[in-house]
Amino acid sequence: DAKTTQPTSMDCAEGRAANLPCNHSTISGNEYVYWYRQIHSQGPQYIIHGLKNNETNEMASLIITEDRKSSTLILPHATLRDTAVYYCIVRAYNQGGKLIFGQGTELSVKP
Amino acid sequence: EAGVTQSPTHLIKTRGQQATLRCSPISGHTSVYWYQQALGLGLQFLLWYDEGEERNRGNFPPRFSGRQFPNYSSELNVNALELEDSALYLCASSLRTGSQPQHFGDGTRLSIL
């Protein structure tokens, strides 16, 4: 069972920041937060992950609350190509290798 | 750097046949994972291989099996195919250590007629 809760769908205007929330209120101390996205008919694409601190890479920023019970993925300038299903996953390194995918958030970026 | 590659892209079989799907991990990655994504369902974990050994398997029957070769590439075999095995089969790879993320290929679309 997925340990995360995400909105089913969100819209974002092209060029604006997309802020995708994720609730993981039962996260354990050794569990990381991972974000992936899946564009139709392709494999999931890794975006970013973090444990406690905020993280940024060339694709996105990850903001994790101090109590670690929720996080937000930020796409700073969304483009039409960012339209995808976004998955938030929590996993510890010793949890048998598997990623448990929930239903994710379907993000639609509109012109 | 080449990503995870899977072959074939599409595979059509009939009920009762056997299917073999192949995966080449990113260079330097020793762990390979297999997932199934059936239509309308989420991604379901199938198998994890590392250093040639099966480390974990998901809730799938024994007719789903696989192996990992010395060069870390992997095969997924599905025997006695059933209609409900029709799905996108995804392979991912990662470095063995710690919190390293899994990187996915674009999958093999298996269709059972």
Side-chain angles (χ1 to χ4, degrees):
Chain A
D1 294 327
K3 304 180 192 178
T4 63
T5 304
Q6 299 178 252
T8 303
S9 63
M10 292 180 63
D11 290 339
C12 178
E14 189 178 20
R16 303 297 295 269
N19 296 279
L20 291 91
C22 179
N23 182 285
H24 31 80
S25 58
T26 60
I27 193 169
S28 301
N30 63 345
E31 288 183 316
Y32 288 76
V33 180
Y34 296 82
W35 282 85
Y36 285 81
R37 71 181 182 184
Q38 188 173 25
I39 297 168
H40 183 61
S41 297
Q42 296 181 18
Q45 179 187 23
Y46 164 75
I47 300 173
I48 199 167
H49 75 288
L51 183 64
K52 298 180 191 176
N53 300 321
N54 298 336
E55 302 287 344
T56 296
N57 62 21
E58 64 278 4
M59 287 183 68
S61 294
L62 173 61
I63 308 298
I64 302 175
T65 58
E66 195 168 340
D67 64 7
R68 304 212 317 126
K69 293 185 177 182
S70 66
S71 61
T72 301
L73 178 75
I74 301 172
L75 307 178
H77 305 287
T79 71
L80 299 180
R81 287 179 296 180
D82 293 321
T83 293
V85 178
Y86 287 76
Y87 297 99
C88 169
I89 300 166
V90 295
R91 185 179 76 93
Y93 70 92
N94 59 351
Q95 285 179 345
K98 62 182 175 182
L99 295 172
I100 300 175
F101 287 80
Q103 294 306 304
T105 296
E106 188 166 1
L107 175 68
S108 296
V109 180
K110 300 182 184 299
Chain B
E1 179 185 271
V4 176
T5 57
Q6 294 187 242
S7 63
T9 306
H10 294 89
L11 188 58
I12 300 174
K13 295 285 186 179
T14 57
R15 281 170 51 189
Q17 285 189 314
Q18 185 246 0
T20 298
L21 288 63
R22 296 179 176 82
C23 173
S24 292
I26 292 171
S27 178
H29 287 189
T30 61
S31 280
V32 170
Y33 313 82
W34 288 94
Y35 292 82
Q36 181 197 65
Q37 188 172 30
L39 191 63
L41 300 177
L43 284 91
Q44 302 291 320
F45 169 76
L46 260 169
L47 290 159
W48 171 30
Y49 290 95
D50 183 73
E51 297 287 355
E53 299 286 331
E54 181 181 303
R55 302 295 182 180
N56 195 15
R57 68 180 291 130
N59 188 25
F60 283 84
R63 57 191 186 83
F64 287 83
S65 65
R67 54 181 172 166
Q68 186 179 34
F69 299 98
N71 67 353
Y72 303 113
S73 67
S74 177
E75 275 183 2
L76 174 69
N77 296 293
V78 188
N79 294 319
L81 287 165
E82 300 179 2
L83 293 177
E84 54 263 35
D85 296 333
S86 293
L88 180 66
Y89 289 84
L90 292 156
C91 174
S93 73
S94 76
L95 295 168
R96 177 69 168 92
T97 55
S99 66
Q100 296 299 318
Q102 298 178 20
H103 296 272
F104 286 79
D106 282 335
T108 293
R109 175 72 62 184
L110 177 62
S111 299
I112 313 302
L113 304 180

